[in-house]
Amino acid sequence: MSPQLPPVAPAVTAELVAALSPRLRKRLDSGIAKLADRPVVRDGAVARIAVDDDTDLELHAPDGAVRGADAVRCGCLLAPDCLHRAAAASLAPVAEDTDSAAPQDHSAAEEDAAQAPETATPQQRAAVRAVQLATSAVLEAGTDGAGAVLQAELLRAAHTARLAGLHRAAATAVSVVTDLRAARAADPAYHLTDLAAGLYDVLSVAHRLPSASGGELTALRGSARQPYRPDGSLRLYGLFSEPVLTASGYAGAVTWTADAEGRLYQVSDVAPGGAGRAVGAADRTVRIGDTALTHRELARAGLAVSGATVSPTGRLGAGAGVRAVRAPGVGWHEEPVARLWAEPVPDQIARALAGGRDLLFLDVTLTGTAAEAAGDCLLADCAGVPLRLTAAHDDPALPHRDNLRLLSAARGTRLRVVARLTPAPHPRAQLLAAEHPTRADTRLDIGLDRLQGADLPTTATPSGSVPVPVPVPVPASASASASDEAPIHLLRRRVHQTVSGGRPVLALPGDTRADARHLRRSGLTTAAELLTDLHSAAADRAHDVFGRLRPTDPDRFARAWLAAAHYTSELDRTLCLAAWTP
């Protein structure tokens, strides 16, 4: 995926792919690969690709995104029915909905909710069925088989869902397409678990929505816009900043603050861009009121806001009526922010797993490093619980990995940190911010500030040498490999294999009875039945009276996968909470 191309609206990509002839559709993926190697030149709102020496392809994005099919123009002889236009739209990032970032008056939001029907409308049922069918086709094909044509069908279904008011299904379907493209492009930022979670959410919404009502239906529909509530005057204290870098082509920074009651608020600056924008956004002035504070400065200072507007997730609005001035900040060991670290860790974990904020405020002692497939992680002791702290981003332009490597050499150092929970059968979180290992009252934004060898305790690095992380023995309870030996892994592995390889991987001849027996012996009878049903659905290819294979039943296979994914998700949630309890 080229970061230089402007994002393209889902409906545009779907329209251009649908207009291709069957012959050109078969060539679309190869066309995308060829176009990805061509140079791109940006000229204001126009991105120009040199298809060959005599032909240019242009994407016009006057508001930062391509919103119409006529904004993708090609100079070849076959245009506008050429392959190039559809290939360019499929190569570019997927644009976010134009309504998603628009502030909404709270009273208007409540009025819309009051007027919404208590059950799904026929239009919504039809739209969510289209999403379900398109997602099932992607699941059946797996990442290797889900090329641009299947992606375009899912984007078309997402657009239809958005028009029907099903904003959650639409947004998640678009994120699935983004993850599919990252997987097929071997993007290092791609994670199989993220794609699996997206597919699970889409199919879960599609399964539940037709029979839902009341509050459940409202949650399944989702919201097109963030309803900002007036929140009067706020006195905020900076906590930390983190870079934002998404696979969909957006980048920037978010600064987290807290009020005197411990409620969290965010000030964000996210726009189309790459790693360079994520690095530079920290030194941009925050977009709220008339303050001249940068994100980096706000993370260590305070803010007094009047006329504040706040979204349900705590994002501060930047409307014309908002006023903000700089105010003194406080250290992490000072009130009122110290109360964030006073909350028992199991309570923080339970809230995060229940859908609340996923930030964790922890006191840890560094114990070393451990090698993992995705790279080394930092080991720490958290109130007797062995914890793995990982990098939030792998992009080399951001210092996450380098900072973790240096911190791992400071064994025995006690630090106050902020991390984001990663649900897993063992304690695991992404390290976002930490106290400086040698400078009192100094904080580090792990994704923005770069540690040096001189910043480490003198006992951690000999004079004149480069600190080298020393692997240490890892307790079995903290080992990822140990969790992989848990019986539930036999089912979870098949859930993930389906996402990557599709139905064909599970339909291969093999004896699954041994895995099912292992699960039953461990008391996981339901898991054994789900595993057996998943394999049965994958291999279900009946023959007609002439001996020909009948078409597959994607609905049955998707239902079997959804049931297995739901079971493993709920069990993992329980194991995660238990793992964080000393």
Side-chain angles (χ1 to χ4, degrees):
M1 184 184 302
S2 173
Q4 296 173 295
L5 293 177
V8 177
V12 174
T13 304
E15 179 181 346
L16 292 175
V17 173
L20 294 177
S21 66
R23 179 179 64 86
L24 290 180
R25 286 193 181 192
K26 294 179 180 179
R27 296 170 49 192
L28 181 55
D29 289 322
S30 61
I32 293 172
K34 292 179 181 177
L35 207 61
D37 294 331
R38 305 301 299 168
V40 180
V41 177
R42 293 297 295 265
D43 182 11
V46 179
R48 188 172 293 108
I49 307 174
V51 177
D52 54 41
D53 294 339
D54 302 316
T55 305
D56 283 343
L57 177 68
E58 295 181 347
L59 285 79
H60 293 253
D63 68 343
V66 177
R67 302 292 179 188
D70 57 351
V72 184
R73 307 166 189 172
C74 185
C76 74
L77 296 176
L78 296 178
D81 300 323
C82 62
L83 180 69
H84 304 132
R85 298 171 70 225
S90 301
L91 179 64
V94 183
E96 293 185 351
D97 292 339
T98 54
D99 294 336
S100 61
Q104 180 183 10
D105 179 75
H106 181 61
S107 59
E110 289 179 337
E111 182 179 350
D112 290 344
Q115 293 176 353
E118 291 300 314
T119 59
T121 66
Q123 180 189 17
Q124 290 174 335
R125 292 172 186 270
V128 81
R129 177 59 176 164
V131 170
Q132 185 178 38
L133 290 174
T135 307
S136 298
V138 166
L139 183 67
E140 180 156 331
T143 55
D144 292 339
V149 173
L150 285 182
Q151 294 170 24
E153 290 300 322
L154 186 51
L155 290 177
R156 177 185 296 279
H159 179 64
T160 302
R162 188 175 73 85
L163 294 179
L166 304 180
H167 304 288
R168 176 177 169 181
T172 312
V174 168
S175 72
V176 165
V177 172
T178 298
D179 286 339
L180 280 173
R181 292 179 178 180
R184 292 172 61 84
D187 188 332
Y190 164 73
H191 296 287
L192 175 61
T193 52
D194 292 340
L195 178 54
L199 289 167
Y200 168 72
D201 192 57
V202 175
L203 289 173
S204 179
V205 169
H207 175 74
R208 294 159 55 198
L209 188 138
S211 59
S213 62
E216 181 187 15
L217 179 59
T218 300
L220 292 174
R221 285 196 189 107
S223 175
R225 297 168 289 177
Q226 287 280 8
Y228 282 75
R229 292 176 178 267
D231 208 8
S233 298
L234 296 172
R235 175 64 169 92
L236 304 176
Y237 303 87
L239 293 172
F240 72 98
S241 289
E242 63 172 321
V244 175
L245 185 60
T246 71
S248 57
Y250 288 81
V254 172
T255 298
W256 291 81
T257 65
D259 67 5
E261 303 300 322
R263 292 187 294 262
L264 300 185
Y265 298 84
Q266 312 110 55
V267 180
S268 65
D269 179 4
V270 179
R277 192 180 194 285
V279 173
D283 294 313
R284 296 175 183 266
T285 302
V286 297
R287 298 178 179 179
I288 178 170
D290 300 322
T291 178
L293 282 171
T294 66
H295 283 269
R296 195 185 300 272
E297 292 169 338
L298 176 58
R300 293 155 178 81
L303 204 62
V305 186
S306 61
T309 57
V310 184
S311 78
T313 59
R315 179 176 296 181
L316 290 172
V322 180
R323 298 289 182 267
V325 296
R326 180 172 185 155
V330 297
W332 283 356
H333 289 272
E334 302 175 62
E335 292 296 344
V337 302
R339 68 180 57 196
L340 295 170
W341 280 266
E343 183 180 11
V345 174
D347 292 351
Q348 296 187 49
I349 302 300
R351 182 187 58 250
L353 293 175
R357 70 175 189 231
D358 56 0
L359 292 185
L360 305 178
F361 299 87
L362 310 172
D363 288 302
V364 304
T365 300
L366 305 183
T367 58
T369 187
E372 294 186 339
D376 290 352
C377 67
L378 181 63
L379 297 179
D381 177 88
C382 178
V385 173
L387 168 64
R388 289 185 173 225
L389 294 169
T390 63
H393 290 284
D394 289 321
D395 194 293
L398 301 174
H400 292 90
R401 286 284 178 199
D402 292 339
N403 286 339
L404 260 66
R405 177 180 60 82
L406 285 169
L407 285 173
S408 66
R411 294 177 58 184
T413 303
R414 184 168 177 80
L415 296 176
R416 183 158 278 191
V417 304
V418 182
R420 177 169 286 116
L421 176 66
T422 301
H426 58 280
R428 189 178 188 86
Q430 297 173 346
L431 184 61
L432 304 177
E435 292 177 312
H436 196 282
T438 57
R439 301 176 193 167
D441 300 325
T442 300
R443 311 172 197 171
L444 293 171
D445 295 329
I446 298 299
L448 299 172
D449 303 322
R450 284 193 179 273
L451 273 171
Q452 304 296 327
D455 294 322
L456 300 180
T458 54
T459 55
T461 172
S463 176
S465 67
V466 177
V468 178
V470 180
V472 298
V474 183
S477 59
S479 172
S481 60
S483 68
D484 289 348
E485 296 301 325
I488 190 58
H489 174 68
L490 299 174
L491 180 60
R492 186 190 303 109
R493 180 178 59 191
R494 300 305 183 191
V495 169
H496 289 168
Q497 282 181 340
T498 303
V499 174
S500 57
R503 176 201 287 262
V505 171
L506 270 70
L508 293 173
D511 187 4
T512 63
R513 289 175 293 183
D515 287 346
R517 285 196 300 269
H518 189 183
L519 289 167
R520 288 192 177 93
R521 285 197 302 268
S522 302
L524 299 174
T525 304
T526 301
E529 293 175 354
L530 291 171
L531 178 63
T532 301
D533 187 56
L534 182 60
H535 278 278
S536 175
D540 185 11
R541 293 296 304 275
H543 294 74
D544 61 18
V545 294
F546 298 104
R548 297 172 299 193
L549 280 175
R550 296 184 184 275
T552 60
D553 182 358
D555 270 352
R556 185 195 168 192
F557 182 65
R559 286 195 303 270
W561 182 87
L562 178 61
H566 178 73
Y567 179 89
T568 56
S569 175
E570 291 301 310
L571 186 56
D572 283 346
R573 189 187 308 272
T574 302
L575 293 174
C576 178
L577 181 58
W580 281 86
T581 303

